[in-house]
Amino acid sequence: MTDQTSSKTDISRRSLLKAGAAAAGLAAGSGAITGFPTIWAQNPITLRQFGTGVSNLNAIAEKCKEDLGITLEMTASDSDAAAQRAVTQPDSYDIADIEYWILKKVFPSGVIQPMDTSRLTYYDKIVPLFKTGKLLPDSVIAQGTAPHTVGFVEGPDSRTFAKGETGWFTMVPTIYNADTLGIRPDLAGREITTWADIMDPAFRGKTSILNIPSIGIMDAAMIMEAMGNITYADKGNMTVQEIDATIDFLIEAKRNGQFRAFWKSFDESVNLMASGEVIIQSMWSPAVAAVRSRGIACKYQPLKEGYRSWGGGLGLAAHLSGAKLDAAYEYINWYTSGWVGGYLNRQGYYSACMETAKDYMSADEWGYWIEGKPAQGDILAPDGTVMETAGAVRDGGSFEERMGKVACWNSVMDEDRYMVRRWNEFIAS
C-alpha cells in the first residue's frame, strides 16, 4: 500500500514538474521571462557533472545556479579519462558530459539510463543531424560513429542502440563541431588546401597531431586518404590491416622527424601554435580563436577532403531517481533553452538547439558565427575580449557549409583495443 501511494505521489509530482518546466520553457522562449521559475532554491539540489574541458565551463555552472538554484559540481578531464571514469566510477557522477564515440564504449555497460524524450522541452528543436545523420535532406551520412547511430534505444531498460528515432535518447546532444587543421598562415609560406599538407617535408619538425587515440587515428586516416596511400572502407571502423598500414605510416613519419609534438589538452595546442613551434597541426576551433586573441595569425583551414567531426551530450547516471532525476531533466531543459547554446556558439562550437540559441545572440554574432557573413562590428568572446573585428569572415563559412562537409565522425572501432595498442606503440616509438 505504501509503495503504491509513494509511486502515485512520485508520478504526480513528476507530471507537475514536467508541466512547469514546459511552461517555463515556453515563457523563456517568448522572451516574457528570464530564467526558469523552480523549486530548487527552496529545495537545494547538487548535481555532479564530469566530462571534457570543452564544455565543463565555470560560466555554465554559475548561470545554472543563478537561473535554477541547482548547484553544478563540474570535473573536467581528457576524453580517455572521461570514458574510463564513466564505466568504472558510476556512483561518482550524476551527469555524464561525454562525446558520442565515448558513449559507444560506455552505454552498453548500463551506467547511463535512457532519457525519456517526452520530458525534453526542446526535443523538437534539436538539429536533424542527431536524429537522422543528415543536416540537410541531401546530405551524405559521414563515416565513423555518427551520433544518430548511438543516439537512441528501444526502451527505458535497453542497453543496445536502436536503428532509428525512438522515444528514448541515450543522451541529449549539446555541443559539436567540424574539425580541421589549424595553421599559421604567416609562417606556412604557401596556401594549405589538403590534409596531406601536414606531411609536406617543408614542415618537418613543425607539425603536430593530437594524442587521443580514437581521435588521432581519424586525423591520420584523413591524411592517408588525402595522400592517396589508402582508401578505407570506413575510416571509423578500420580493419586490422588498415590499422597496421596507418600506424606504420605514422611511425615512419615520426622517425623522419615530421612531428614536433603530440598534444592532449587545449592549452598545449594553443601554446604550440602561439609560440611558432608548430605551423600546422590538429586543432579545435576555440583553440585557433585563443591564438588569434593574442594578436597572432592563426587560421582554421577548410580542406578539400572535408572535416572530421565530433559531438557530445549530457547523459543521466543510472542511479538517478526521484527529486535528483527531476532536477537533472530540468537542468537539461535549461541547458537547451538557449543561453548555453549562445555561449557555446560564441566560442566557435555549435549548439544542438540552434533555434533557441539564436535568441541569445546578436544579429551580428549570429551572422558571423552561423551564417558565414562578414562581421559588422567587433566579435567578442564570452569573456568580453575582442576575437574578430569588422569585415572578418569565419574560417570555413556558414554552419551548413561546415557541418555539411563532414567526412567522418570520431569513432570507436570494432578493433579498438588493437588500435589503441598500436597507437601507443607509435607514440613510444
Side-chain angles (χ1 to χ4, degrees):
M1 182 70 174
T2 306
D3 289 342
Q4 192 175 16
T5 304
S6 171
S7 176
K8 284 181 180 176
T9 304
D10 195 42
I11 290 168
S12 171
R13 189 163 153 283
R14 283 205 305 273
S15 302
L16 182 66
L17 284 168
K18 181 184 171 186
L26 288 171
S30 70
I33 60 168
T34 56
F36 282 32
T38 70
I39 62 166
W40 307 117
Q42 290 76 37
N43 182 23
I45 291 276
T46 296
L47 294 174
R48 300 162 300 161
Q49 177 175 308
F50 83 100
T52 62
V54 164
S55 49
N56 281 272
L57 305 165
N58 289 336
I60 294 176
E62 290 164 7
K63 185 65 173 170
C64 177
K65 181 72 173 178
E66 178 187 330
D67 285 0
L68 298 184
I70 293 173
T71 299
L72 273 184
E73 289 181 356
M74 288 181 165
T75 307
S77 64
D78 65 54
S79 299
D80 287 336
Q84 185 173 15
R85 177 175 177 178
V87 175
T88 61
Q89 302 174 55
D91 293 328
S92 73
Y93 61 88
D94 303 311
I95 304 286
D97 181 4
I98 55 177
E99 295 163 73
Y100 277 91
W101 67 267
I102 294 177
L103 190 70
K104 195 172 180 182
K105 287 185 173 186
V106 169
F107 197 86
S109 68
V111 295
I112 293 176
Q113 61 177 284
M115 192 178 292
D116 181 356
T117 61
S118 71
R119 297 188 68 175
L120 302 178
T121 310
Y122 301 100
Y123 178 77
D124 291 342
K125 298 190 186 304
I126 291 171
V127 295
L129 200 60
F130 292 93
K131 297 176 180 178
T132 66
K134 294 184 175 186
L135 183 62
L136 303 170
D138 60 348
S139 297
V140 175
I141 295 177
Q143 293 180 353
T145 305
H148 75 290
T149 63
V150 292
F152 299 95
V153 291
E154 295 293 350
D157 301 313
S158 180
R159 294 189 185 186
T160 55
F161 302 117
K163 288 192 171 15
E165 190 175 353
T166 69
W168 297 93
F169 249 166
T170 51
M171 60 182 185
V172 66
T174 54
I175 185 173
Y176 53 107
N177 212 345
D179 284 358
T180 181
L181 296 173
I183 65 166
R184 283 285 300 270
D186 56 327
L187 302 178
R190 66 172 178 83
E191 192 176 355
I192 304 298
T193 61
T194 169
W195 284 84
D197 284 335
I198 198 170
M199 290 299 166
D200 185 338
F203 301 135
R204 184 170 290 141
K206 294 284 188 177
T207 76
S208 177
I209 59 176
L210 76 172
N211 181 19
I212 299 171
S214 295
I215 307 175
I217 194 76
M218 304 301 282
D219 281 354
M222 294 295 286
I223 293 163
M224 286 278 280
E225 276 200 340
M227 294 180 73
N229 291 358
I230 189 172
T231 299
Y232 301 89
D234 181 352
K235 289 183 282 293
N237 197 17
M238 297 181 195
T239 63
V240 167
Q241 292 75 21
E242 288 170 338
I243 293 168
D244 284 339
T246 306
I247 299 298
D248 289 346
F249 167 79
L250 289 175
I251 289 173
E252 183 181 359
K254 184 182 179 186
R255 286 176 177 163
N256 288 338
Q258 190 66 22
F259 302 112
R260 168 64 183 85
F262 307 99
W263 60 266
K264 268 201 169 189
S265 75
F266 178 96
D267 289 341
E268 283 178 298
S269 71
V270 171
N271 291 335
L272 284 168
M273 195 62 98
S275 67
E277 290 181 67
V278 162
I279 293 173
I280 178 171
Q281 68 169 353
S282 304
M283 224 165 169
W284 295 327
S285 178
V288 172
V291 174
R292 280 213 284 252
S293 72
R294 300 183 186 185
I296 298 167
C298 192
K299 187 176 183 185
Y300 212 37
Q301 182 63 49
L303 302 170
K304 63 184 179 182
E305 298 86 11
Y307 295 87
R308 173 187 56 73
S309 199
W310 57 273
L314 301 177
L316 302 171
H319 65 77
L320 282 180
S321 63
K324 269 211 164 182
L325 182 59
D326 293 333
Y329 271 107
E330 188 161 357
Y331 162 58
I332 285 167
N333 285 331
W334 169 82
Y335 199 110
T336 51
S337 68
W339 184 89
V340 179
Y343 188 87
L344 296 175
N345 283 347
R346 279 192 291 273
Q347 294 185 76
Y349 300 120
Y350 292 125
S351 165
C353 287
M354 278 294 187
E355 198 176 324
T356 62
K358 187 175 184 179
D359 293 337
Y360 289 82
M361 300 176 75
S362 70
D364 193 22
E365 287 174 330
W366 183 262
Y368 174 80
W369 288 113
I370 309 304
E371 296 178 327
K373 294 178 179 177
Q376 300 301 299
D378 287 346
I379 298 296
L380 305 181
D383 65 2
T385 58
V386 176
M387 296 177 76
E388 303 290 352
T389 54
V393 177
R394 182 174 185 176
D395 296 339
S398 72
F399 169 60
E400 290 187 356
E401 285 177 302
R402 296 175 87 251
M403 289 308 301
K405 293 179 182 172
V406 172
C408 64
W409 290 88
N410 288 353
S411 186
V412 174
M413 306 178 186
D414 294 341
E415 297 292 345
D416 178 63
R417 289 187 178 182
Y418 181 75
M419 183 278 292
V420 172
R421 192 163 73 245
R422 290 283 348 248
W423 179 271
N424 290 335
E425 184 184 323
F426 153 58
I427 294 297
S429 66

